[in-house]
Amino acid sequence: MGRTAVAFCPGHISGWFKRADPKNGVKGSVGGGIVVNKGVTSEVRESDAMSVQALKKEADGSISSLFSGSPPIEYAFEKLGILAEVITTTRLPAGSGFGLSAASLLSSLSAANSLFDLGLDNAGIAKIAHESEIKFNSGLGDVAALTGGGYICRQKPGIMGDIIRNYDMNDSISVISFGPLPTESILGNPKAMEKISSAFREVCPKTPAEFFEISREFAENSGLISERIRSVLLKCDQNNIPASMTMLGEGVFAYGKNAERILAGFGEVYNLNMSKYGFETRRND
Ligand SMILES: Nc1ncnc2c1ncn2[C@@H]1O[C@H](COP(=O)(O)OP(=O)(O)OP(=O)(O)O)[C@@H](O)[C@H]1O
Ligand SMILES: CC(C)(CO)[C@@H](O)C(=O)[O-]
């Protein structure tokens, strides 16, 4: 049995985004989102061979296998010249707008950093994770978002871009997910991306209410709202609950004490809170 290290990274719900023009140098996106208190825990173990196993924890505590192999994590570890057995565990659904590809990269790299004494600081970890996300089209702005907490507005692309972080989102955030919308399928679709680009407005919220207004306006203009999402949004509107579509996943996130009750009529509800913190490293010899 080799030594292990464990690290956690929160999830990130994107409310609006726009891909940065790669001609301008830095790759990624600008946009807004919420760093949330549930995300991905990675356990990294010394090994002679590289392997990644993704696990899902259910509401009743049972654990099931999601998939094995994760090209973004394998690529990042190869870049660092390390081999390890990686196990990621999450309570949240995959491919559903929680930025889990970024969270699994950041938690796995944080754990590897401490296990192998790589000496990377948080910016160094984020740089490798961001590069891997861009390479696999699995995210644009999630890594930058997850370098800290709060509900945020990213005004420049990349991990060194200006990020406004606000922390006064005190009520719970309820999320319902109807199924995955693989990030690659949207980012790799020029028509969808053109519509998304025209839906984007260069504004930053100062309050949670403004955050949900900007998210909703973007979602309405993005061309991504399905019939199922529309019916949930209508119900939220009728009950004065701020709500919008999770980017990128076929789901709805809604704000405040009454949101859970309304969303529960449509399926399993994930109850989250804004996280004040981004990813972290913890040693576990
Ligand atoms: N929990 C996880 N553990 C390990 N690898 C993951 C995990 N989630 C996603 N990945 C890797 O990221 C790839 C792309 O995932 P995708 O971007 O569709 O999911 P996501 O990040 O959960 O979605 P979103 O970015 O919309 O929240 C997956 O094929 C997988 O290789
Ligand atoms: C593209 C994206 C919506 C995928 O989660 C996110 O990375 C973002 O906001 O850039």
Side-chain angles (χ1 to χ4, degrees):
M1 294 287 272
R3 292 181 314 134
T4 64
V6 175
F8 171 74
C9 180
H12 173 241
I13 300 173
S14 259
W16 66 96
F17 72 100
K18 181 182 178 176
R19 187 184 348 233
D21 187 345
K23 279 192 235 108
N24 295 340
V26 186
K27 292 185 178 141
S29 67
V30 291
I34 312 170
V35 181
V36 292
N37 63 335
K38 291 197 174 92
V40 178
T41 301
S42 288
E43 183 179 336
V44 176
R45 182 183 298 277
E46 287 174 332
S47 173
D48 296 338
M50 186 68 210
S51 67
V52 183
Q53 179 71 36
L55 304 177
K56 167 112 194 281
K57 200 172 182 175
E58 303 301 338
D60 63 5
S62 64
I63 296 207
S64 55
S65 173
L66 266 180
F67 50 81
S68 37
S70 173
I73 295 177
E74 287 150 19
Y75 170 80
F77 275 50
E78 197 187 323
K79 279 225 102 179
L80 290 167
I82 50 177
L83 294 172
E85 186 186 310
V86 178
I87 299 176
T88 68
T89 306
T90 182
R91 253 301 282 135
L92 300 173
S96 302
F98 293 101
L100 298 190
S101 51
S104 63
L105 269 161
L106 288 166
S107 54
S108 303
L109 286 167
S110 293
N113 188 39
S114 85
L115 181 65
F116 296 105
D117 285 321
L118 300 176
L120 294 166
D121 60 8
N122 276 11
I125 290 173
K127 186 167 179 275
I128 298 166
H130 184 64
E131 189 192 317
S132 193
E133 280 272 271
I134 298 292
K135 182 172 171 63
F136 291 95
N137 246 354
S138 51
L140 295 171
D142 297 313
V143 170
L146 291 168
T147 57
Y151 68 96
I152 68 173
C153 188
R154 294 177 293 101
Q155 300 177 291
K156 294 250 169 68
I159 56 157
M160 303 311 265
D162 298 341
I163 303 181
I164 298 174
R165 295 186 188 270
N166 290 307
Y167 298 96
D168 59 330
M169 195 173 271
N170 299 318
D171 280 338
S172 58
I173 302 141
S174 301
V175 189
I176 184 153
S177 173
F178 290 124
L181 194 57
T183 303
E184 213 283 328
S185 70
I186 304 291
L187 299 189
N189 177 338
K191 253 208 150 112
M193 288 304 281
E194 205 176 294
K195 191 105 206 258
I196 284 170
S197 203
S198 63
F200 179 83
R201 266 202 313 135
E202 215 170 293
V203 278
C204 287
K206 291 196 182 63
T207 62
E210 279 177 18
F211 178 89
F212 277 87
E213 276 160 30
I214 299 168
S215 295
R216 181 63 179 274
E217 189 189 328
F218 174 83
E220 291 293 339
N221 295 326
S222 69
L224 294 172
I225 293 182
S226 66
E227 261 175 53
R228 289 191 289 194
I229 293 182
R230 174 61 62 206
S231 56
V232 185
L233 290 177
L234 270 176
K235 194 87 187 172
C236 289
D237 293 348
Q238 285 158 4
N239 289 276
N240 290 320
I241 291 167
S244 190
M245 177 183 162
T246 50
M247 301 290 158
L248 286 160
E250 197 193 352
V252 171
F253 66 116
Y255 187 55
K257 287 183 262 310
N258 299 321
E260 181 182 6
R261 185 174 49 84
I262 298 302
L263 294 196
F266 296 90
E268 184 182 0
V269 179
Y270 297 89
N271 274 314
L272 309 171
N273 286 101
M274 185 205 76
S275 168
K276 288 186 191 145
Y277 312 102
F279 70 97
E280 49 95 24
T281 310
R282 180 156 39 102
R283 197 164 186 129
N284 184 22
D285 284 318

